[in-house]
Structure formats: C-alpha cells, structure tokens
Amino acid sequence: MHQTFAHTPGKPGLLCLHGRGTSAMIFDIQLVRLQRVLSPFFNFVFIDAPFESEPGPGVLPVFEGCEPFYSWTPMEAQWYEGIMNEKSLEVVTKELQKHEAAGMEVVGVLAFSQGTRMAAGLLHAQETRERGHKLLDSNEGEVSLRTKFKFGVFLMGSWPPLVLSSTDKEMRRISIPTLHVVGAQDQWRNNGCKLKEEYFNQSNAKFMELQVGHHLPAKDEETLMISEEVLRLWNEAMG
C-alpha cells in the first residue's frame, strides 16, 4: 500500500511538478523515498497538469490502470516550444493560492522531467517580477504569481523552460539557488545538463549525477544525497 504523507500545519511546502504523461498521484508514489526523509521538514504539494496525454516513458506497465495521465503542454505542441500555456499557469497558481490562504508558505519547487520546464519558467517569472518587469503580454496572471520560491530542485531535467511571454526569447539566467540531478544512464541526460548550463547562474546551480536512468533513484544512499542537498538549500535560504 502506498504511504500517504499528510500535511502538517506550520511546515513549509514544496510544490511538486510531475513529468509528461504521469499525474500528481504517480509523482507522489515516485517521490515516496524522498518524502520519507524530508517529510519532517516539508509538506509536499502535488498537482495535476491540465492536459490529458498518453503515458510517458516508463509509466507502463508499472502504473497500468492509473489513468488519466497528464502533460504540461498540449498534445499538439512541439516539444521545443517554450511558451507556458495559460491553463498550466492557472492550475499552478490556483493550487498555490489555496495552500497559502490556508497558511502554508510554499518555499521551493521540486520537479521531474517535463515538470522541470514548468519549474524553470516559474523561477524565471519570479525573478522577472522582482526586477519590476512586465511578466506577460497582457495583464492576465499578474496578480496570481505572488509565491516567492527560495530554491528549486530539478530531477532528470528537460528543456527549454516554459516562459510566460513571447518576449522572453533571450532569457536572463536564473539566480535562485537550485539543485540539478541527472542520471548517467538517462537517454535524455543532455537535456538536464543543457537546462542547467544555458538557463541558470552556474554559481548558484549545484550539479549531481547519479548512476540511474530516467527515473527517481531507488538506493537509500542516493535518496539521502538528494535530501541533504535539499536541506542545504533550505538552510541557506533561512540564513
């Protein structure tokens, strides 16, 4: 039986963004080892992407019968398109508003595979807003993006980031502290490397390579390595 980690009042939250062709429920299961270690420190906030899709890589047969599966981009979108869909922004901001209205401070974003594109876009939007620049081509969504992420965790990343405006063709590098975990046997390893190297300030972006494929690590020592880095990012953010 899958262990469910209940939210605890007073603990900060981590927004968890799943990969293409999975779901919040599946990502909850995939992150169970990491949650066991980090649940004393954080609440984990899972959310379904808005677009139904075919199952992602490696989802079947393990999660047979766990439909529907979701994606952060519409099925007809080309993978290299880098504009965040309004529906994706809407489901994320509504979830953040709900938990923050209940008193939970969401301090970090933790994402896997395609979810890292969404996470990078959210961090980029935050820094754009903090510089006093306009976020969108219209005013839609301006008010809802009030969360201040202190750090980001990118697991088996993808690229390019999903940014909010078509004017963001030349992205300024993201300076918010981050951890980037890639798998040495991941067939999309270079995507995670490219995300870190091209879109993040390297002095604030920690790189970690594990001997795994395109999935979360199963070994306790690898889970602990990630957990220690997440806690380092949080402790440094707290000063």
Side-chain angles (χ1 to χ4, degrees):
M1 179 179 293
H2 169 56
Q3 179 179 359
T4 299
F5 296 86
H7 287 175
T8 303
K11 284 195 300 190
L14 295 181
L15 176 66
C16 301
L17 304 178
H18 63 75
R20 178 179 65 85
T22 63
S23 66
M25 179 189 70
I26 291 173
F27 197 31
D28 188 359
I29 295 170
Q30 291 171 325
L31 278 181
V32 67
R33 293 177 180 86
L34 206 57
Q35 289 189 79
R36 286 190 187 119
V37 180
L38 291 176
S39 59
F41 309 97
F42 301 103
N43 290 315
F44 288 74
V45 176
F46 294 92
I47 179 172
D48 284 323
F51 302 103
E52 288 198 29
S53 77
E54 79 285 353
V59 171
L60 300 180
V62 179
F63 295 104
E64 187 79 45
C66 292
E67 301 87 342
F69 306 116
Y70 298 99
S71 173
W72 294 105
T73 56
M75 288 294 295
E76 65 272 14
Q78 300 297 319
W79 69 268
Y80 51 80
E81 292 177 0
I83 302 300
M84 188 183 298
N85 189 281
E86 290 179 3
K87 289 184 179 180
S88 293
L89 175 61
E90 181 181 7
V91 297
V92 168
T93 52
K94 283 185 176 180
E95 189 73 11
L96 290 171
Q97 288 172 339
K98 179 181 75 175
H99 288 286
E100 289 170 353
M104 183 193 300
E105 181 186 12
V106 180
V107 296
V109 57
L110 186 156
F112 176 79
S113 193
Q114 188 196 57
T116 65
R117 299 180 63 196
M118 188 74 186
L122 293 173
L123 296 187
H124 175 257
Q126 176 177 313
E127 293 195 337
T128 300
R129 183 182 68 233
E130 290 172 348
R131 291 195 300 270
H133 295 172
K134 190 175 179 63
L135 285 175
L136 301 174
D137 294 333
S138 67
N139 290 325
E140 185 175 354
E142 290 283 349
V143 176
S144 60
L145 284 166
R146 298 304 182 194
T147 300
K148 184 174 175 60
F149 296 110
K150 307 275 193 308
F151 62 91
V153 180
F154 294 76
L155 306 171
M156 317 309 163
S158 187
W159 70 279
L162 297 172
V163 294
L164 293 179
S165 171
S166 58
T167 61
D168 290 330
K169 293 177 181 177
E170 295 291 331
M171 274 185 63
R172 181 179 294 196
R173 287 176 180 263
I174 297 166
S175 295
I176 294 169
T178 50
L179 170 66
H180 299 259
V181 180
V182 302
Q185 284 84 48
D186 184 355
Q187 61 181 312
W188 298 289
R189 175 188 179 278
N190 288 343
N191 289 350
C193 294
K194 190 169 185 176
L195 181 72
K196 171 186 177 291
E197 292 165 3
E198 295 189 3
Y199 297 102
F200 288 82
N201 183 326
Q202 299 304 290
S203 62
N204 292 333
K206 174 68 179 290
F207 179 80
M208 179 187 296
E209 185 168 30
L210 303 177
Q211 297 302 312
V212 298
H214 195 72
H215 56 80
L216 276 295
K219 294 181 180 179
D220 288 345
E221 57 266 31
E222 294 171 333
T223 299
L224 286 173
M225 287 171 63
I226 297 174
S227 301
E228 288 170 357
E229 285 299 319
V230 173
L231 291 174
R232 177 188 63 80
L233 287 170
W234 174 230
N235 288 333
E236 290 179 358
M238 291 291 288

